[in-house]
Amino acid sequence: MRPDNDALILLNRLPGVRPAHSSGRRLRRISLLFIAIALACTFLADLALYPTDPWRELGRIGWGFISPYWADSSTLLSALGQTVAFALLALIISVPLGLILAVFYHWRPVRMLAAAVRSVHEIFWGLLFMQLYGLSATTGLLAILIPYTGVFAKVFAEMFDRQAPEPALAVSPFSSRISRYAYTLIPQSLGEMRSYCRYRFECALRSSAILGFIGLPTLGFHLETAFKQGQYSEAAALLWVFFILIASIRFWLRGWLLPVYAALALWLLPQSPPLGSSYAWQFISQDIWPRALQQGDLIAAAGWYWREFSQVAWPALLQTLYLTQIALVLTGVIALLCYPLASQAISGRALRWPGRLLLLIMRSTPEMMIAFILLLLLGPSGLPAVLALALHNGGLIAFLLANHSEQQPQRADDPKGINRYFYLHTPRLYPGFLAFLFYRWEVILRESAMMGILGIATLGFYIDSAFEEIRYDKAFFLIVVAAALNILIDSLSRRIRRRTDTGLSV
């Protein structure tokens, strides 16, 4: 039986009793703190708006978007097939690997391994493996499956932690850890795991598409080429095909068809050249380390690392953080503004499907592609990256909020329309919204760093430049710095979610 409000007020006024903290106040304080940080970052980040004439180009892009055209259907089908093949095979391999790691996630080395591999963006993994395997199937598969294994390990472990402990009491105490998981926690989590794998497959399709930006033959390669040549109708055809692919996943992705899809995917993959073991060993043991370290001169090596950190990594790291914080808050604003458009409970049946289509386009378009278009319109600064990250992640969170808004219990005397949005659904959804926003914080940071591939002065710009200059030691060091920053933000995000006690209810 819960005490009433008067009893709680009296209890808090008793001497020696610590006043109970309102979760609403905690959420408000944290929200205001992050808004203040983002506002401060706008004065520090490079958000210059260059004097361009975007309207003519925007008009051409808009016309291309409503007049999609692609002459060579075989090239389009090949790019589409290879995009799906990379994503599907990477997922088929990474799910069981992540499940095995999740079973042993209580071991610190396993947690550190999972955090390390998922903290490096797929593009950076792709750039690393491209030095070993070239533009091959092996590069594309490893670039996706390695970070995804770390993600599955973490998420599956969190799912197991949320399950009821009672079924485990029916298992013999002498049974192995794997048996206990196989007979209790995995069956309990199976529905949630299946749903998450389906969501991750959508993410893997986007990852596979953007690997085209480093030259792999997926949809991203043809998209970038079409945009650079001003062929907007061709670019729109590729984007519409990608949207239809994402929107139709639930109709064609069936578990019993996976063996057939896997065989087709293997057939569609490009060939991989044989790898010389001596070159791989040279890359791992020599190329990624500074010469001073190889010669055993630790003082000179420390000087090299300090110089690279102070002159290159630190300024790029700050710029990455500034853009991340602004994009994080803008993501939250867009999600809160857009979710009612796709919620039948708030906007009604007529507006629900246009709202759903808008969110589908926002969350399905790879953030790198949005940034690429905005760079053409707004000029080379961090502003296109911030807007792209906010639109993509805002669309994703708004979609989840709209789904939960429609699942809210309704009564006949509930307010309607905008009053329902402000006074009923948003206050109910806000804790879960904030938790998921902090959950995306780590992802937004990784994506901010990756935006450097497009020429924006984040960590990715210097990593890409180092690879182009064949300075693998510098590129590897900067990737390690990016991964360390990602792990730090992930840890901070978990602490805030735990402190606000919001959970991941979205």
Side-chain angles (χ1 to χ4, degrees):
M1 182 176 166
R2 299 178 59 184
D4 58 31
N5 288 337
D6 291 338
L8 279 174
I9 291 169
L10 289 173
L11 182 66
N12 290 333
R13 286 177 179 173
L14 287 175
V17 176
R18 189 179 178 182
H21 292 285
S22 159
S23 62
R25 287 183 181 176
R26 278 202 302 271
L27 297 180
R28 187 174 60 189
R29 280 202 299 268
I30 288 173
S31 302
L32 291 175
L33 175 64
F34 272 79
I35 291 171
I37 292 172
L39 287 175
C41 289
T42 57
F43 295 101
L44 301 170
D46 174 20
L47 298 176
L49 184 62
Y50 288 88
T52 59
D53 180 18
W55 300 112
R56 183 168 172 269
E57 204 65 20
L58 191 61
R60 292 184 61 206
I61 292 174
W63 174 250
F65 200 71
I66 59 175
S67 60
Y69 172 75
W70 189 273
D72 186 3
S73 58
S74 61
T75 306
L76 178 62
L77 288 175
S78 172
L80 181 68
Q82 293 191 353
T83 302
V84 177
F86 278 123
L88 186 72
L89 290 176
L91 213 70
I92 287 175
I93 300 171
S94 60
V95 167
L97 291 178
L99 184 59
I100 293 169
L101 291 180
V103 172
F104 300 99
Y105 206 71
H106 61 293
W107 291 349
R108 184 180 291 271
V110 172
R111 290 201 302 275
M112 291 175 66
L113 174 67
V117 297
R118 73 170 183 269
S119 62
V120 180
H121 196 278
E122 297 90 285
I123 286 277
F124 297 150
W125 280 116
L127 286 170
L128 267 178
F129 287 116
M130 210 162 67
Q131 315 312 317
L132 288 173
Y133 302 104
L135 293 172
S136 66
T138 309
T139 296
L141 284 176
L142 291 176
I144 300 175
L145 79 87
I146 287 180
Y148 275 48
T149 297
V151 171
F152 280 123
K154 176 191 174 189
V155 174
F156 287 167
E158 289 175 350
M159 288 179 186
F160 296 152
D161 287 342
R162 289 197 295 268
Q163 303 307 320
E166 287 80 6
L169 300 176
V171 180
S172 166
F174 301 105
S175 60
S176 67
R177 185 176 187 83
I178 293 177
S179 297
R180 289 200 302 277
Y181 272 75
Y183 288 106
T184 60
L185 294 176
I186 293 176
Q188 285 177 275
S189 313
L190 205 53
E192 207 175 346
M193 290 167 67
R194 190 182 294 122
S195 173
Y196 185 76
C197 289
R198 190 181 297 272
Y199 161 73
R200 265 291 148 189
F201 178 59
E202 184 182 320
C203 299
L205 286 173
R206 282 195 294 272
S207 300
S208 176
I210 64 171
L211 284 176
F213 278 79
I214 60 172
L216 286 167
T218 60
L219 283 173
F221 175 78
H222 298 281
L223 268 169
E224 186 190 20
T225 306
F227 270 111
K228 280 183 174 176
Q229 295 175 349
Q231 303 293 333
Y232 297 131
S233 292
E234 292 186 359
L238 291 163
L239 279 175
W240 278 115
V241 166
F242 192 64
F243 294 152
I244 293 169
L245 178 72
I246 296 282
S248 61
I249 285 177
R250 59 176 173 162
F251 299 111
W252 56 268
L253 187 62
R254 294 284 185 270
W256 58 275
L257 282 174
L258 279 181
V260 179
Y261 290 153
L264 280 172
L266 284 172
W267 179 67
L268 285 169
L269 285 181
Q271 289 185 343
S272 292
L275 171 67
S277 57
S278 59
Y279 179 68
W281 178 245
Q282 177 190 321
F283 184 76
I284 296 169
S285 63
Q286 298 180 25
D287 292 354
I288 60 175
W289 307 107
R291 184 174 297 277
L293 190 64
Q294 295 177 43
Q295 293 172 347
D297 188 347
L298 296 182
I299 296 176
W304 183 90
Y305 279 119
W306 173 248
R307 191 168 55 253
E308 293 297 333
F309 181 78
S310 59
Q311 296 179 4
V312 180
W314 182 246
L317 185 147
L318 287 178
Q319 199 60 220
T320 305
L321 271 176
Y322 298 152
L323 298 184
T324 300
Q325 294 311 115
I326 301 168
L328 180 73
V329 171
L330 198 55
T331 294
V333 173
I334 290 176
L336 289 175
L337 288 177
C338 290
Y339 93 83
L341 301 176
S343 169
Q344 185 174 330
I346 298 175
S347 299
R349 188 185 297 272
L351 287 178
R352 180 177 186 268
W353 289 111
R356 293 259 159 183
L357 178 61
L358 173 67
L359 295 188
L360 172 71
I361 291 173
M362 288 168 65
R363 69 187 170 92
S364 301
T365 308
E367 59 281 5
M368 206 162 177
M369 182 50 58
I370 302 175
F372 188 81
I373 297 170
L374 292 174
L375 276 169
L376 296 176
L377 301 174
L378 304 176
S381 76
L383 186 60
V386 167
L387 294 175
L389 291 169
L391 285 170
H392 172 73
N393 290 287
L396 178 64
I397 296 177
F399 176 73
L400 295 170
L401 289 176
N403 287 342
H404 280 259
S405 170
E406 293 183 346
Q407 295 167 8
Q408 295 297 309
Q410 296 188 36
R411 299 191 323 184
D413 58 346
D414 279 349
K416 307 289 183 190
I418 197 165
N419 287 330
R420 176 174 288 185
Y421 168 73
F422 277 114
Y423 298 111
L424 198 65
H425 282 206
T426 300
R428 283 180 183 171
L429 297 174
Y430 197 79
F433 151 75
L434 211 55
F436 199 79
L437 187 63
F438 287 134
Y439 191 75
R440 295 293 295 181
W441 192 9
E442 172 202 3
V443 178
I444 292 173
L445 177 71
R446 286 196 307 137
E447 292 170 345
S448 296
M450 178 266 294
M451 287 293 175
I453 301 292
L454 297 176
I456 300 166
T458 59
L459 277 165
F461 173 76
Y462 298 97
I463 293 171
D464 191 38
S465 300
F467 275 118
E468 286 184 355
E469 296 166 1
I470 321 181
R471 293 189 60 188
Y472 300 138
D473 50 354
K474 181 178 177 180
F476 181 70
F477 173 64
L478 292 175
I479 288 176
V480 171
V481 170
L485 179 63
N486 210 270
I487 292 171
L488 180 67
I489 292 293
D490 182 40
S491 171
L492 188 58
S493 164
R494 271 188 284 114
R495 288 171 71 92
I496 293 176
R497 293 205 308 272
R498 199 177 301 131
R499 187 175 177 79
T500 53
D501 195 23
T502 54
L504 269 179
S505 58
V506 176

